[in-house]
Structures are given as structure tokens and as C-alpha cells.
Amino acid sequence: MKIISTIDELRDQLRGQLRTAFVPTMGNLHEGHLSLMRLARKHGDPVVASIFVNRLQFGPNEDFDKYPRTFQADVEKLEKEGVYVLFAPTEKDLYPEPQEYRVQPPDMLGNTLEGEFRPGFFNGVCTVVTKLFSCVQPRVAVFGKKDYQQLMIVRNMARQFALPTEIIGAETYRAEDGLALSSRNMYLSAEERAEAPALYQALNFVAGEMRAGHLDIFSVERDAMDQLAKRGWKPDYISIRKRIDLQPPSAGDLAQGAPLVVLAAAKLGTTRLIDNLEI
């Protein structure tokens, strides 16, 4: 595996490649990330991964400085997966001058759910993904469904800008007890880790209520949040949305059986976890 930090060297290495499959990450790789690499290989060759902790998507009170960085262990894992190139730029490599041009998603999608609780987050995501796509120029790129809203925003962005990159969504990789794998899980204490699957259980409660015909979505959402709060969580949201645009479903949508997804974000101790479940 070639480890490359500069844009010019990356472009030289990939020149002439027409089937590149790309998996952008922020490092601290776990089995969920590695499953994305395997899916990427099914859709293209060579596989290029990136590791870059993107400052633009962190708020002023978020965990940029303490975000886990495990570069050597990440390299070993990617080598075992047969990744061809690891693009690991420094901030100076990717942002040699202040990144004053930004990519802004539409308010309707970018300022709801995660965007409401993390202002500017999707601005930072869209900007770095656009720049990474420009550097790698992949035919396909793989993103995990755990970050459901992010996947939708990136997919819409690629379509509206007519980018020559197909966005592929990978199913959420879960531990045996249902917890979605996440780099932030390492912040959990042993006691918190034992409690953490309750978030997925709350999603399953909502899905079960909806399938049983309980269509008062606000009541169902509130009950699920109350259940978590009683267990010591601090929920930001548990929200039932239409898969097609992540807007709240109308009575007509529910009557017609519109495909839905329930999304959640909640703090357990000091660790904020997100998850979702398609209904």
C-alpha cells in the first residue's frame, strides 16, 4: 500500500485509473470501516482510502483535538484489506490556504436533525468531500448508512453537481448486542458500553410501534425519548422521517406507506452517539 500525503503525488499515482473506488474516513478504523473497504473492492479497482480529521466539520466546543488518532494501527488494517493507496494529507496539504470557498447543503436538509444540533457540520462535510473527490476523482465512493443524513446529503450533492462519482451506501455494521460501531465508542466507560445498545433498542421500539399501526408519530417519538431519559441518557432527537428527503411524514405519507427511517442522537455520559433504522 502506498501512503501519500500530497495532492500532486496522489494525482500522479492515480493518473489513468478509470475505476477507482474511494472510502473517505477520519481514521481510528474499526470493523465497520473495513467493511466499507470490502464493499468498495466489489465496485471498483483500485481501492483508495483517506484518513483526514476535518476541522471544518467540528464545532467550537466539539472534540476535534481529542478525536482518536491511531494512524499506525489504521495503516496495518488497511494493508490487510488490500487497499492500494492511503491518502493521508496534513491540514497544510489539503488546505494550503484558508478554505474560504465552502459547499453549503440546502437548509431543508442541512439544518435539520444533525444540522440543527451541530450548526455548520454539513457545510464542513460537503466541503471536504468535494475537495477529496477532486483529488481522488473516483468512479465510486462508499459511505456508511450509520451516518444516514450525511449519506443522503453527499448523494444529492454528487447528483446536483453532476459529479462523475456514484455514491454507494453500506449497511450499518453492528456489534453482537446491536450497538452501531463508531470511533466515538471508545470514549464509553465499561458501564456506558453495556448501556449503549439501548439506543438501538429505542429505534426498534419506534419501528415496532409504527409497524403495529400506531401512527401518532409525535407520541411514539416522545415515548422513546422518555425511555432513554429514564435510563440516564440525554436525547437530542428521536425522529421519524421519510427516507426520500428526511422530512417529517404527513398523514397522507403514512396512509400511503411511504418508506420511513427513524433517526436518533443522544448523549450517554459525555459521549454523543447516533444511529438510525429504516422502517
Side-chain angles (χ1 to χ4, degrees):
M1 182 175 74
K2 298 180 183 298
I3 301 175
I4 294 173
S5 62
T6 71
I7 296 172
D8 286 344
E9 186 182 354
L10 178 72
R11 287 176 171 161
D12 285 343
Q13 185 66 45
L14 296 177
R15 185 166 287 116
Q17 299 283 3
L18 301 178
R19 298 185 64 250
T20 301
F22 178 45
V23 184
T25 83
M26 293 206 300
N28 191 34
L29 304 182
H30 50 67
E31 191 61 29
H33 292 110
L34 302 183
S35 71
L36 303 185
M37 307 297 163
R38 295 169 200 140
L39 182 58
R41 180 160 301 289
K42 293 180 180 179
H43 290 272
D45 184 65
V47 174
V48 176
S50 68
I51 293 177
F52 182 70
V53 183
N54 177 41
R55 187 185 297 271
L56 299 185
Q57 68 194 66
F58 286 79
N61 299 313
E62 293 185 334
D63 57 350
F64 175 80
D65 289 325
K66 69 172 186 173
Y67 192 86
R69 292 160 170 84
T70 54
F71 187 74
Q72 194 52 49
D74 293 345
V75 167
E76 293 170 6
K77 291 173 182 175
L78 293 175
E79 285 179 333
K80 289 180 182 177
E81 294 299 331
V83 170
Y84 175 61
V85 168
L86 169 58
F87 182 43
T90 65
E91 284 193 282
K92 190 173 181 180
D93 290 320
L94 200 60
Y95 302 131
E97 57 185 277
Q99 188 66 37
E100 295 166 340
Y101 287 82
R102 303 291 181 95
V103 180
Q104 178 69 50
D107 290 347
M108 191 174 177
L109 190 55
N111 289 344
T112 188
L113 300 168
E114 283 300 279
E116 178 182 349
F117 287 90
R118 301 182 67 187
F121 172 67
F122 289 118
N123 180 308
V125 167
C126 289
T127 300
V128 76
V129 168
T130 300
K131 193 154 194 179
L132 288 169
F133 282 3
S134 175
C135 297
V136 178
Q137 299 184 25
R139 188 186 71 81
V140 300
V142 178
F143 290 79
K145 278 190 179 181
K146 185 183 80 69
D147 298 289
Y148 201 92
Q149 187 176 7
Q150 172 179 277
L151 170 62
M152 174 169 284
I153 286 174
V154 169
R155 181 172 279 153
N156 290 354
M157 180 183 76
R159 185 186 69 249
Q160 287 202 6
F161 281 123
L163 301 180
T165 301
E166 178 187 357
I167 308 301
I168 296 171
E171 295 299 327
T172 300
Y173 200 99
R174 299 185 181 277
E176 288 187 5
D177 58 9
L179 178 65
L181 296 197
S182 167
S183 296
R184 289 187 168 93
N185 290 352
M186 68 176 295
Y187 297 153
L188 299 169
S189 68
E191 185 179 72
E192 290 167 344
R193 175 60 187 83
E195 168 62 22
L199 185 63
Y200 185 50
Q201 293 163 14
L203 295 175
N204 277 282
F205 164 78
V206 172
E209 290 292 287
M210 297 299 291
R211 290 171 183 144
H214 299 159
L215 301 184
D216 182 350
I217 62 173
F218 300 109
S219 174
V220 173
E221 292 167 350
R222 185 175 61 250
D223 287 349
M225 292 180 71
D226 287 346
Q227 289 175 23
L228 279 182
K230 287 175 183 175
R231 300 178 67 107
W233 293 70
K234 295 178 181 176
D236 283 343
Y237 59 83
I238 296 180
S239 190
I240 299 162
R241 300 295 177 101
K242 293 183 293 181
R243 291 186 210 174
I244 191 170
D245 58 8
L246 292 190
Q247 297 305 301
S250 66
D253 294 325
L254 297 175
Q256 293 169 20
L260 303 175
V261 58
V262 54
L263 306 102
K267 270 191 174 181
L268 181 57
T270 60
T271 304
R272 187 174 184 274
L273 301 178
I274 67 171
D275 203 350
N276 64 80
L277 182 65
E278 291 182 333
I279 302 174

